[in-house]
Amino acid sequence: MPDTITIIDNRTGKKYEVPVHDGMVNATDLRQIKTSEEDFGLGSYDPGFMNTAACTSRITYIDGDKGILRYRGYPIEELAEKSTYLETAYLVLYGELPSKAQLDDWTYNITHHSILHENIKKFIDGFHHDAHPMSILISTVAALSTFYSEAKNIYDAESRQKQTYRLVAKMPTIAGFAYRHSIGMPYAYPDNDLTYTGNFLNMLFKMTELKYQPNPVLERALDVLFILHADHEQNISTNVMRGVGSAHSDPYCSVAAAAAALYGPLHGGANEQVLRMLNEIGHKDKVPGFIAKVKAGEGRLMGFGHRVYKNYDPRAKIIKRTAEEVFELTGRNPLIDIALELERIALEDEYFISHKLYPNVDFYSGIIYLAMGFPIEMFPVLFALGRTPGWLAQWEESILDPEQKITRPRQLYIGADERDYVPLTSRG
Ligand code: ACO
């Protein structure tokens, strides 16, 4: 059976044979389908990229119908159980699990690139006391590009490697400084004796003690959450990372743009919105009324639904388990009961069943973050921190892919036809 598709253009009666690779037609192959010589050729109209692949990738595999997520072929369940965040970040970035020597080297380099230039403190100081930490993170990551001008050399492998160390290492420090600024606490500097996640907790929560000791249960839980967020193929923030990167901008500006996309409540900002929603519902008994409102079109059930998963998000399953471990330590947050009741009713409800709406990663992550002592505003920041290796891996794959070009979708112009300028005095 030939791997082609035959198209008959009923406008002209002409027949075309178009190759099919891996279940895809090349959109530019449609351009040969014309009604006349002047015709530009057939295009495809796809707002939101519902059915368009814009790249090939070897990083993350998702089967949304079956609820499968793998990084470089490894199931997310195994990584969440057996790996650490830094090891998973290495896997996502370089394609293979590291040897002992590679992991030691990677850990050393990340640990030794975590300090920020002292000048950065000055502009973090300039933000208003109630500035959202995600806005501080986005601006500060962009500002890092002013310190590392060699980052512009995106085709220099050594420079890319250096910026990768810096970005993975400095995101927690920026996040820590943004948080401490918002509560008026002095900044806490990195502690090289701690793990990546342990040090992050240190930079957030260290008080007057000489040495901060992270709680191992919380440290592991946060590490697992970071593993779950490390990459998620072509979501909006990754798409932005690739898009901005396609113009050959430096990786700091590209990560800032990706983080800006992540901040939106329909993407990584959803974890913050879930908490606001649960607080607004206030009690288990009010859940049916809230669900009825969602079904009537008055708002969305935040933390539910996904463009790709039409089944339970595998990350949400792991998070639910992690939540139980955290609650054993911190005590049960009453919001979890509202969340469980929401999930129970929604999963039995015809609207949610027929729309294939299941809890996504953001539904439970916020409740864990809250139990760990993070303020709600920090939730998207935690997501951005976890996602940084994924953005960088996708960026590098994209700029080294010979098939990639500067991102430039076409449009279907439906505006006014040519018309003469009307002087101000003649306008109605
Ligand atoms: N609550 C209620 N109805 C929903 C929800 C929801 N959370 N999500 C989708 N729907 C409905 C829509 O109203 C629409 O219904 P209709 O066909 O009857 O008009 C249908 O399901 C399809 O929705 P779309 O918005 O077209 O689906 P899309 O794939 O574009 O959106 C998205 C996916 C943005 C995630 C959506 O499900 C949503 O807004 N969810 C809530 C926000 C959220 O949790 N975002 C985090 C996603 S995970 C992440 O980014 C990390």
Side-chain angles (χ1 to χ4, degrees), residues 159-326:
S159 168
R160 279 202 308 276
Q161 178 64 82
K162 199 67 181 279
Q163 314 323 320
T164 299
Y165 291 147
R166 286 179 174 142
L167 273 159
V168 175
K170 292 182 200 305
M171 286 293 270
T173 318
I174 301 174
F177 282 20
Y179 170 64
R180 307 276 289 202
H181 175 75
S182 71
I183 54 168
M185 290 276 291
Y187 304 126
Y189 280 65
D191 179 342
N192 287 0
D193 296 337
L194 298 174
T195 64
Y196 183 86
T197 307
N199 172 50
F200 178 50
L201 290 169
N202 158 65
M203 291 189 290
L204 292 163
F205 300 129
K206 186 172 190 286
M207 302 300 278
T208 52
E209 67 273 39
L210 286 179
K211 187 108 184 139
Y212 177 82
Q213 299 291 351
N215 179 297
V217 174
L218 300 187
E219 186 180 356
R220 177 62 192 158
L222 193 55
D223 213 55
V224 170
L225 285 159
F226 287 158
I227 291 173
L228 300 183
H229 286 89
D231 193 50
H232 211 235
E233 53 118 302
Q234 306 313 314
N235 55 84
I236 168 69
S237 57
T238 302
N239 184 251
V240 167
M241 182 81 197
R242 281 179 173 262
V244 175
S246 80
H248 295 181
S249 302
D250 73 57
Y252 299 102
C253 294
S254 302
V255 166
L262 187 81
Y263 189 13
L266 295 189
H267 186 24
N271 52 18
E272 189 177 342
Q273 298 308 322
V274 169
L275 254 287
R276 297 195 193 285
M277 173 186 80
L278 295 176
N279 277 324
E280 187 194 314
I281 297 172
H283 194 275
K284 240 170 94 169
D285 299 348
K286 302 233 174 95
V287 168
F290 183 80
I291 297 261
K293 274 205 216 159
V294 169
K295 285 163 63 178
E298 292 172 42
R300 289 194 162 196
L301 181 48
M302 298 311 283
F304 258 67
H306 199 276
R307 172 64 60 77
V308 181
Y309 293 119
K310 300 303 169 198
N311 197 329
Y312 216 98
D313 181 336
R315 301 169 299 175
K317 269 190 204 153
I318 302 169
I319 283 190
K320 236 172 134 176
R321 266 202 321 269
T322 309
E324 290 306 333
E325 285 159 23
V326 171

